Amino acid sequence: MDKRVVLAVAGSGKTSHIINKIDESSRALIVTYTENNYKNIKSRIMDKVGFIPAGVRVHTYFNFIYSFCLKPLLGNKIKSKGINWDMPLSFTLKLNRNDPKFYLDGHNRLYHNRIAKLLDQYGVMHEVSERVEKYFDLVCFDEVQDFGGHDFNFICKLSPNIESLLLVGDFFQHTFDTSRDGNVNSNIHKNLDTYTQKLTQAGYTLDTELLSHSYRCSPTTCSFVSESTGIKIQSHRDDETKIQLVQSAKLADEIFYDENIVKLFFKDSKRYCGFTENWGATKGLDCYSDVCIVLNPTTLQHYKKNKLNELAPQTKNKFYVACTRAKRNIFLVPESLYRHHKQ
């Protein structure tokens, strides 16, 4: 296998594509960002093989980069006592990159967003690649769209020295970054061409066809998303579902009290009782049938003017995530119709 980045769409089987490569004899490293996906991947391997093979390791990204990469290679030089998940104090930006205070807080904890930079600054990226290559025949990074800052540079600099490296992600499900540090890669997610160009320059082959069709979403949903937001997605299915703008207060309340329909808000979903969640927080979830998407005033106006494609990138991505949770019908409800439910 080569060094490849597979750009997928929602519900196309990103995790399944990785799991299908695992068997009892595998020597594989799987790295993902979120704790939920870490648990999901381990569970899926158990379902397939019956156990976690001895040669397979599943890590969250920061556990991998800290415990597997930094500690064995720089542990004697950098006496760190864990990870600081806060942003570094602003004065550290003025420090020399060779100054340990650029990377460590007052308690000798490493700033999470600078661990990758530290490995590069100390010139051990080649040793990182050799260490990974020594133990694993296959290396997979899931949720790659969320890698930002120095962490994006890290996966680019792994490429030249590892034979079999697979990155899988959905560019338009980028709703947050693994980390940020000033202007480092601050614009890579604003434009798909810029993003893919950086990856291909790093030695990755780009694949946009393998996971371009969704199993979860109907052709109706895929057409709506593609035509209204400009985010291209196709379906493996051939059935029709319903997308309805709800303007009746009575119907809106019926949907609100229906425990089988999740109500997805742009933010502050916890201020509403019942079966609710925020748009972006549902990323990776595949447990909804009918979905109610509550449109905040900005999104509602863009919808009415047929200009959802002009939403701010982060808002558009979160709306895309919300739409593509639905296996069946989508109800679009103006937020004003649920104002009286807000606590």
Side-chain angles (χ1 to χ4, degrees), residues 20 27 32 50 55 59 81 99 122 172 183 198 215-216 241 243 251 277 284 308 329 334 341:
N20 289 341
R27 296 174 70 246
T32 188
H59 287 281
K81 297 181 179 178
D99 189 332
Y122 274 72
F172 295 104
N183 292 323
K198 282 183 175 289
Y215 292 98
R216 180 194 306 133
T241 56
I243 297 176
L251 177 56
E277 189 53 272
L308 287 171
N329 304 315
H341 292 294

Side-chain angles (χ1 to χ4, degrees), residues 220-232:
T220 309
T221 296
C222 291
S223 294
F224 170 71
V225 170
S226 297
E227 293 168 8
S228 63
T229 69
I231 298 173
K232 300 305 179 185

Side-chain angles (χ1 to χ4, degrees), residues 5-10 14 31-34 37 141-149 152 155 167-179 185 188-190 192 195 199 280 283-284 314 317 320-321 325:
V5 54
V6 178
L7 293 184
V9 299
K14 295 184 290 294
V31 180
T32 188
Y33 177 39
T34 64
N37 208 37
F141 281 77
D142 199 6
E143 301 178 302
V144 71
Q145 76 279 349
D146 289 329
F147 283 71
F152 182 83
I155 60 173
L167 311 181
V168 181
D170 181 350
F171 177 80
F172 295 104
Q173 287 197 62
H174 170 251
T175 56
F176 48 81
D177 294 320
T178 51
S179 68
N185 287 320
I188 58 168
H189 292 103
K190 290 185 177 180
L192 178 59
Y195 179 79
L199 289 170
K283 182 168 63 175
Q314 283 279 64
N317 290 356
Y320 163 65
V321 168
R325 297 314 95 190

